[in-house]
Amino acid sequence: MEKEELKIVNKGLEDEMEISGYRLCRWKLALVGIGVLCTGGFLLLLLYWLPEWCVKGTCTRTSVRDAQVVLLQSTDEFKRWFLAKVRVILAPGRNPFDNLDSQTTLTVANGHGPSGGLIRKAQDLQIRYFTLHSTKYFWNDTIQNFEVFIGLEDQKVTCSAVHSEHSAGLTKTQQDYRKLFFGVNEIAVKVPSVFKLLIKEVLNPFYIFQLFSVILWSADEYYYYAVAIVFMSLISIATSLYTIKKQYIMLHDMVAAHSIVRVSVCRANNEIEETMSTDLVPGDVMIIPTNGIIMPCDAVLISGTCIVNESMLTGESVPVTKTNLPDPGHSVKREAGDSTYSTEEHKRHTLFCGTSVIQTRFYSGEQVKAVVVRTGFSTAKGQLVRSILYPKPTDFKLYRDAYLFLLCLVGVAGIGFVYSIVLSIINHVPAKTIIIESLDIITITVPPALPAAMTAGIVYAQRRLKRIGIFCISPQRINICGQINLVCFDKTGTLTEDGLDLWGIHRAEKGSFYLSEEKVCKEPLVKSQFVACMATCHSLTKIEGELSGDPLDLKMFEATGWILEEATEEETSLHDHIMPTVVRPPKQLLPKSEEVSKEPDMELYDLSSSYEIGIVRQFPFSSALQRMTVVARLLGEKRMDAYLKGAPEVVTSLCRKETVPDDFSEVLENYTKQGFRVIALAHRRLESKLTWHKVQNINRDVIETNMEFLGLIVMQNKLKAETPGVLEDLRRANIRTVMVTGDNMLTAISVARDCGMILPEERVIIADAFPPRDGQAATINWRYADNPVKHPGKGVHLEEVGITLEDVDHGEEPRVQQQYHFAMNGKSFAVITEHFQDLLQKLVLHGTVFARMAPEQKTELVEALQSVDYFVGMCGDGANDCGALKRAHSGISLSELEASVASPFTSKTPNISCVPSLIREGRAALVTSFCVFKFMALYSIIQYISVTLLYSILSNLGDFQFLFIDIAIILVIVFTMSLNPAWKELVAQRPPSGLISGPLLFSVLTQILICLAFQTFSFLWVKRQSWYDTWTPILDACSMSSSHNVSFSEVYNETEDDDHNIRNYENTTLFFISSFQYLIVAIVFSKGKPFRQPTYSNWPFMISAFILYFFLLFIMFYRVPEIDEFLEIVCVPFHWRMMMLFIMLANAAVSALVETLVLDIVLWKLVFSRDKQGSYGVTAAAQTPQSGVDLRGSRCLSWLCCRRNKTPKARYMHLAQELRVDPDWPPKPTTTTEAKTPPSPKNSSSHSLSSS
């Protein structure tokens, strides 16, 4: 058949995949069956490990439409393969939102059907679908591809359509029909049985290799060692099964706790029906009970309001108010302003699955209703659970290099395999022995304890993190934390205190500012519109008598001294509409002589002498709009008032120009430069024709226009005490820090200067980007925020900022350079992302302040930083940072919740001091992983060398020698060498990111050569000794010099013949030398500073090493017959024992010298040093006097090693090198960069620079 055009499912999404179709082929299946029989089942295992081979080996290619099996490949960097079986369901229609009204009276033939008699069997359509990762993909004939039905949003319904078309509810028939497509509304986390988990774990390639090894050792009669490996494997499998099962149970319990509840739904015939939450489908109208509920689905409110705790999703414990979705069609005749509903844009009206509705407010005779939008795994909670159940593989160089390294070991084993076969054939060894011994070489090179050993360091680090209050749900990310070289911080609640203090107010009237005032709570202001706005424009509510809500709203309301009262359910039921929240000042603030005018028209409360304002309608704060509005009415007044608060730039754009003071920009800039958070207030008297009912359905755009500017609230957001010190630690460690916040840009820049993120002498360049308009291209205007401190008598060099010119000869004096930082807001970031793609990478290289950023833009910024090869950490309070926390290499949430599912790491300490701790532990865990891997590699090679040398004399290590080495030495050492805690401070250098790096390869290869040299020397030198002869119990070397040993030789006379030729002088010599070598490389590789505490502080390791050294020296110099018999070692003369001691000491000295002096001091520091972030656009710590010497030494050695012109691997370093020679970078002040039009993928990032 012709090759079908490549089809893609989930296009543009995170889980985008290429899909191809296949049909089962009988002759291929028969061939595979024969192959499975011939290979003893190994082919079946291979097909299990490689799904693409399985499909291609048993099926033939066909169109996706006719496929019986689909093969999918992810389009990300991991290129993972998945297979799924295509199934068929019978349904009355192809679209879940088809209207079945004309079909509902029909019955099913023979009385059988999927759901209570939907339609006659003859009219059922066959719908093809497959399931992957808890998501169903249905075939769509129109687009000729599979698609996912998410929910009501698939219909692209407008807000007015939600009210007009979806507020009546569904019939039972419609519900059953939709259930065919959307399935049961349940986030089902099935806990696999122990048997299933066991099979999956045992079929791991590593355990299959171990099984092969055990069979081989048993055939060679190495029973004890085989049993020991089986015992180790069983412990490893049991531990793994326990951990996996425990995680599944925890996740299941977390999801299932409140997932199935009884709910009331409205039917299309106005009946209310009790049903299980599992039966809900998109389009159902559910009633939110007054006593609250844990939401079983995502639903949009169409009537009433709810107070919701969303901490499960966001980590933010402050309850939020959810209002009903505006109905533009009800109040506006034309469709203008009627937007398409989306859960993200209208999240203030959406109740998310898993969140807790604390309290509801409703109309008399009506309930609080919500239309179900998404169910099951399509909900916000479902997507979170899916991301935990099916995580992306951790893309880390360490793990990729580990596989390459193992392949290298297999290659080495291959050489030994061939060598042993050739040698055995030459010596006429029996065929059975040749096969067993040659395969044995392969089993030696891949150490059986490697996975457990590699995991140990991470487990220990996880425990240490838990002790300091950092909880981890993704342990593999701890290693990645060791590579972090850039950290993004949220501002409010992270760098600064969570709460804001009111510094003062700056009122305005008739287009001019008054003098700033400190207090609001005073008699002259009590009846001003300014105070009325502060008292009403918020989303506060009372929960159990306590005011609750956004901390900013709370501080603002408390500053007025007013009282908030909410109507009880009984009061609400007495009226025709919802009773408003009422605010009023305390009586002592009201003027004594004042009496409230009495009006006959009183709708809300009985007339009283108090001054009260009722909040009639709320338009909640929106991150996208950066404002909040309320409609309120003063008691006794007929006309209502609209009060608005928000970002000053946004508020003034909605006010009449004559009401905004001329010096507004100067006053605002003055406050923001000092680091104050500024909020603007505005007011508008509404028309009398706007009745209560009209206000409930009006669009906020109609209200938020022609406002009168009231003035500014100035809030002080203090830095947390720990912030400057932590940022200084990170700066000294050459770790870049970036601020990403939703606050004003100048405020953010001021805070960045205060906390040390931007130093006083450093310049800030603001990038103001504007989208294309009126046929003109997109532009960026560059301006400087303020003037930095200049050095006397020296100019400001902007061209060479932040680059240490290592490879340019400037004589002995380095040039004076000045750092610069870019700052931009969310709107500019969006324009630059779309129209200036190549500039984006240059900007993020020095971008330090990103203000007014929406949650999704924070995620985009993290991705942009990762695209230039930064290892990005993200630290936020968990509220608006969920996406960025999950996308970063290491996200740490400062939420109080111990198990925030939004972030890999969660800190109980509510400040950023956890960030250096996490990086230190990450570095320690990473270095531990390197140490362990290097040690395990050396262990394999040392044993490989011993066995290969012994094979040359047709000998081998004994069963108990293997056992002693692998259990007593290797296991004890490998699990104790991982216990070194992290070093107490962050240093400027970082550990390598992979095993295939200069220092590590040099370390491993030199130690291999040293061990090879000393073992070979010992093996050859023992043969040249005068006493050497082929060993027999009678011709024992010790029997010639000691009568004691003569009698001892009788012990051996009584033993059985040595069939495997284990007892000989070469074996004994290599056993002792190699045993000491394991301990030598363990100590040499177990490094302390600068990433871990010194080895001597790891007392379990030191005690273990001391005991093993003592034991080996003891059995070498003092013969214990039972031990010698057990280990199958023979007696050698005393002077040869001394010679072995000298060889061991020389080996230790050479190994230590090469590893510490040559590698650590010379090569690592001067040639292999890869942490030159200061050279590549990163603010570096101050140089020490020694650094000049190191720099010259580095140049010299780099030249000798031909590394002078090496291009850096990291993209950000490469970019910095390019910018270093670019005379037009950074952009000059008062210049404009213009994108060429029309924008296209090829030229959208082209730009030109012009002076403005």
Side-chain angles (χ1 to χ4, degrees), residues 1162-1211:
V1162 180
L1163 292 174
W1164 184 296
K1165 200 167 187 181
L1166 304 180
V1167 179
F1168 292 132
S1169 179
R1170 56 184 284 284
D1171 192 40
K1172 298 174 183 175
Q1173 294 185 52
S1175 315
Y1176 303 107
V1178 179
T1179 308
Q1183 289 190 333
T1184 60
Q1186 179 63 29
S1187 61
V1189 179
D1190 288 346
L1191 186 62
R1192 286 189 286 276
S1194 175
R1195 287 175 185 163
C1196 177
L1197 279 169
S1198 296
W1199 181 80
L1200 288 172
C1201 296
C1202 303
R1203 292 166 56 89
R1204 187 173 180 82
N1205 297 316
K1206 184 177 177 183
T1207 305
K1209 289 181 183 178
R1211 175 75 182 141

Side-chain angles (χ1 to χ4, degrees), residues 314-333:
T314 63
E316 178 61 66
S317 57
V318 175
V320 289
T321 302
K322 302 280 184 170
T323 58
N324 61 306
L325 185 73
D327 182 7
H330 193 274
S331 59
V332 183
K333 303 292 184 191

Side-chain angles (χ1 to χ4, degrees), residues 404-665:
L404 283 174
F405 215 92
L406 283 175
L407 283 175
C408 293
L409 291 178
V410 171
V412 171
I415 297 168
F417 179 78
V418 174
Y419 162 78
S420 65
I421 290 176
V422 171
L423 196 68
S424 300
I425 291 170
I426 292 170
N427 288 286
H428 307 290
V429 175
K432 181 189 173 186
T433 309
I434 292 175
I435 293 168
I436 290 173
E437 291 194 343
S438 55
L439 289 174
D440 198 28
I441 284 276
I442 296 172
T443 65
I444 285 168
T445 52
V446 182
L450 183 61
M454 291 288 284
T455 308
I458 295 171
V459 171
Y460 296 149
Q462 191 176 4
R463 286 180 182 173
R464 289 194 297 269
L465 285 171
K466 194 172 181 180
R467 278 201 294 269
I468 58 173
I470 299 173
F471 298 88
C472 171
I473 61 168
S474 180
Q476 293 301 322
R477 292 208 186 211
I478 296 175
N479 270 344
I480 302 176
C481 292
Q483 278 299 303
I484 287 175
N485 54 3
L486 183 147
V487 185
C488 295
F489 291 99
D490 182 32
K491 183 180 78 70
T492 308
T494 304
L495 296 173
T496 59
E497 294 289 351
D498 207 5
L500 291 162
D501 294 317
L502 185 74
W503 180 85
I505 58 169
H506 209 145
R507 292 187 300 129
E509 196 174 319
K510 295 178 182 176
S512 61
F513 277 116
Y514 290 105
L515 293 174
S516 60
E517 300 162 85
E518 277 188 39
K519 288 188 177 181
V520 184
C521 187
K522 51 187 180 183
E523 193 176 295
L525 295 180
V526 73
K527 292 194 174 184
S528 66
Q529 296 291 5
F530 190 95
V531 172
C533 186
M534 287 180 69
T536 56
C537 198
H538 53 71
S539 55
L540 300 177
T541 186
K542 278 195 172 179
I543 298 175
E544 295 178 359
E546 290 291 320
L547 269 181
S548 178
D550 184 84
L552 186 146
D553 286 349
L554 213 51
K555 283 282 182 187
M556 186 179 74
F557 183 75
E558 285 172 354
T560 63
W562 284 38
I563 298 159
L564 181 140
E565 291 177 350
E566 288 183 329
T568 62
E569 290 179 24
E570 292 77 17
E571 288 173 330
T572 301
S573 63
L574 297 173
H575 296 79
D576 292 335
H577 44 71
I578 194 167
M579 288 294 292
T581 298
V582 173
V583 292
R584 57 181 176 81
K587 288 181 180 177
Q588 58 267 30
L589 279 180
L590 286 169
K592 300 290 184 293
S593 59
E594 188 84 19
E595 280 193 16
V596 180
S597 61
K598 299 185 178 183
E599 297 259 350
D601 183 17
M602 304 298 287
E603 289 182 14
L604 304 179
Y605 281 104
D606 291 331
L607 183 63
S608 68
S609 59
S610 62
Y611 180 87
E612 295 179 351
I613 301 175
I615 302 168
V616 177
R617 174 84 193 273
Q618 275 186 7
F619 297 99
F621 177 78
S622 161
S623 300
L625 300 176
Q626 297 179 357
R627 63 181 184 265
M628 175 189 181
T629 304
V630 294
V631 176
R633 183 162 66 176
L634 178 64
L635 185 67
E637 290 286 338
K638 286 185 179 180
R639 291 171 69 179
M640 299 187 193
D641 296 275
Y643 295 105
L644 170 75
K645 74 165 186 197
E649 313 93 272
V650 175
V651 172
T652 51
S653 69
L654 301 172
C655 291
R656 300 195 306 275
K657 284 187 179 179
E658 65 272 14
T659 66
V660 180
D662 295 334
D663 58 344
F664 167 78
S665 298

Side-chain angles (χ1 to χ4, degrees), residues 777-782 822 831-832 834-843 1215 1218-1219 1222 1224-1227 1231-1240 1242-1250:
T779 56
I780 304 176
N781 293 340
W782 308 96
F822 286 112
V831 172
I832 290 165
E834 186 176 352
H835 300 282
F836 299 88
Q837 267 297 317
D838 63 337
L839 264 186
L840 177 65
Q841 294 196 336
K842 294 179 182 178
L843 288 171
L1215 269 172
E1218 290 178 358
L1219 296 180
D1222 187 348
D1224 296 323
W1225 194 263
T1231 57
T1232 301
T1233 302
E1234 189 176 286
K1236 291 185 179 178
T1237 53
S1240 69
K1242 291 182 181 176
N1243 64 8
S1244 63
S1245 58
S1246 301
H1247 55 272
S1248 59
L1249 198 68
S1250 61

